[in-house]
Structure formats: C-alpha cells, structure tokens
Amino acid sequence: MRVVLRRVHKSFEQKGQRVQVLSDVNLAVEEGEFICVLGPSGCGKSTLISLIAGLEFPDSGEVFVDSKIVEGPSSDRLVVFQEAALFPWLSVLGNVEFGLKLARVPEKERRERALEAIKMVHLARFVNAHPHELSGGMKQRAALARALVLDPKILLMDEPFAALDAQTRNLLQVELQEIWQRTKKTILFVTHNVREATFLSDRVL
Ligand SMILES: Nc1ncnc2c1ncn2[C@@H]1O[C@H](COP(=O)(O)OP(=O)(O)OP(=O)(O)O)[C@@H](O)[C@H]1O
Ligand SMILES: [Mg+2]
C-alpha cells in the first residue's frame, strides 16, 4: 500500500492555546518501502503516525492510503509503540492470538498463524510465557508478532526499540530488516536516533 500526505496541517489545543504541530506536510511512501521518520522530541512524529493510523485527523489536507482518504483505524495499518502494552494476564500466544480471536478466525488457523508470527520474531521458546517473565526486547518481539499476525500492509513503528539497550536494539534492527525483506511490508519507523535511521532505511524523512 502507498501512503500519501498532501498539504497536511495539524494543531492541538493546549491550555487554551493552539499549538501548530504539523504545517504543510507532503510526503509519499511507496508500497514496500522502509522509511524512517527522524526528529527531536515534540516535533510531531507520533502525531504523523496517528494520522496515518487513522487515530487522529488533519485540520486540513489529506492522508491517502492507496488513493483512499483515511477515515479511521484499520488492521491494514497497525502501530507498534515504544511500550509493548501486552495484556499481562495472557501468555505470548494469547497476546498474539487476541486480534485473530476478535476477527473470529477459527481456532486451528488462529493457532497456526500465531505460532508462525511468534517464530518470525524468534520467540518460539516463550510461547507460554507471560509478559512479566519477558525482558524488554522480548516484549517488543511479542508486540511485533501481535501486529504481524494480522498481516497489515503497513507497519507503523513509533520508537519501538527506544527503551532497549544498545545490543538488543542492534539485534532487533537486523531482525526487523529480515522481516521486512521477507514480508515486503511498507514500514514507517519513527526514531530520534540518527544511527538507527541510517542503518534501517535508504530514505530518512
Ligand atoms: N492529543 C494531544 N493533545 C494536545 N497536544 C498534543 C496531543 N498530541 C500531541 N500533542 C502535542 O503535539 C506536539 C508533538 O507531539 P508528538 O507526540 O507528535 O511529538 P514526537 O515527535 O512524537 O515526540 P517524542 O519524540 O517525544 O515522542 C507536542 O507539543 C505535544 O504536546
Ligand atoms: Mg512520539
């Protein structure tokens, strides 16, 4: 899927004042492209992600996905956040299966797809572990599997590795690259780390 933003403006009301966050943003992300969005804290990266995810709407201008205006969230565009936000009472398998359950995917298929996604993020040994038994990196792996299992066309990643140590972060960067090459998903990856941005993608916004 192709993402296009055309003359997008977005502001928020803060303590009675208008804060302009995005002004005349224009961009195109091609299908299958891996693009990084780089910028300092507060510059509007998460806001940009929310607009594409359909969680927020522009004041003016348009956000298109495959030539259709984004009108709300969709399982075609999923967000992976900095904090994994897994359900603490569910195992890794339970967390990854959750979205499929909501979508009423039959149990056998659900199990197969979940296990495949868990394998893709190298968590197979921890399918039955609960979030409190996982390290930060493992939690992010589980969160990634939870998104991948729904087979989104676009993966929106908002500083997913920011809270990890350098070594784990490097490992997950390499693995994400492999997943991208295998699945050919369109990925928008937010970071404020220049090294991460230049390592991960050919084009940095
Ligand atoms: N729902 C909201 N209501 C009011 N203001 C908001 C809202 N969301 C974002 N903002 C403001 O918009 C600006 C940009 O926020 P945003 O979260 O997009 O930045 P960011 O680039 O993701 O920062 P960080 O790197 O710290 O995550 C900030 O000034 C923030 O306070
Ligand atoms: Mg942010």
Side-chain angles (χ1 to χ4, degrees):
M1 286 182 146
R2 185 163 188 261
V3 181
V4 173
L5 271 72
R6 198 169 63 191
R7 293 190 198 155
V8 166
H9 294 256
K10 179 69 180 172
S11 61
F12 288 107
E13 182 93 21
Q14 271 178 17
K15 294 182 191 140
Q17 292 207 347
R18 278 267 134 208
V19 181
Q20 193 69 36
V21 179
L22 301 176
S23 306
D24 197 17
V25 173
N26 295 277
L27 79 102
V29 185
E30 300 306 325
E31 172 145 9
E33 193 177 18
F34 192 142
I35 193 172
C36 281
V37 180
L38 181 72
S41 184
C43 75
K45 304 181 297 296
S46 295
T47 302
L48 181 74
I49 291 287
S50 300
L51 290 170
I52 298 169
L55 303 169
E56 295 276 1
F57 298 94
D59 301 340
S60 63
E62 293 92 31
V63 181
F64 297 98
V65 169
D66 271 357
S67 316
K68 283 198 208 76
I69 290 189
V70 169
E71 287 175 331
S74 155
S75 59
D76 271 343
R77 297 169 259 120
L78 294 180
V79 190
V80 177
F81 297 98
Q82 180 172 344
E83 299 297 333
L86 300 166
F87 297 120
W89 62 89
L90 291 177
S91 66
V92 168
L93 184 65
N95 270 284
V96 176
E97 273 192 339
F98 191 82
L100 297 175
K101 224 170 176 169
L102 283 187
R104 296 174 193 265
V105 174
E107 191 173 339
K108 185 161 171 284
E109 183 191 336
R110 205 160 77 205
R111 188 62 40 97
E112 280 169 13
R113 283 173 62 180
L115 290 175
E116 193 188 314
I118 290 167
K119 223 162 93 187
M120 206 182 307
V121 300
H122 305 290
L123 264 189
R125 280 169 53 216
F126 297 90
V127 272
N128 296 316
H130 280 70
H132 73 272
E133 299 171 286
L134 303 177
S135 68
M138 286 151 84
K139 282 185 194 144
Q140 286 311 89
R141 285 195 162 93
L144 182 55
R146 191 174 54 176
L148 286 172
V149 79
L150 297 172
D151 199 24
K153 303 291 174 291
I154 302 170
L155 210 46
L156 303 166
M157 306 189 75
D158 195 354
E159 306 200 45
F161 307 150
L164 306 177
D165 66 84
Q167 240 177 322
T168 307
R169 187 172 185 154
N170 289 344
L171 186 64
L172 280 168
Q173 286 168 0
V174 172
E175 289 177 11
L176 180 64
Q177 278 277 315
E178 288 168 4
I179 288 169
W180 172 61
Q181 279 165 9
R182 252 174 83 183
T183 60
K184 311 245 169 10
K185 296 201 180 302
T186 308
I187 300 182
L188 255 95
F189 188 104
V190 166
T191 179
H192 53 242
N193 185 310
V194 179
R195 244 191 96 232
E196 184 167 64
T198 51
F199 173 80
L200 282 172
S201 68
D202 296 333
R203 200 151 73 92
V204 177
L205 192 76

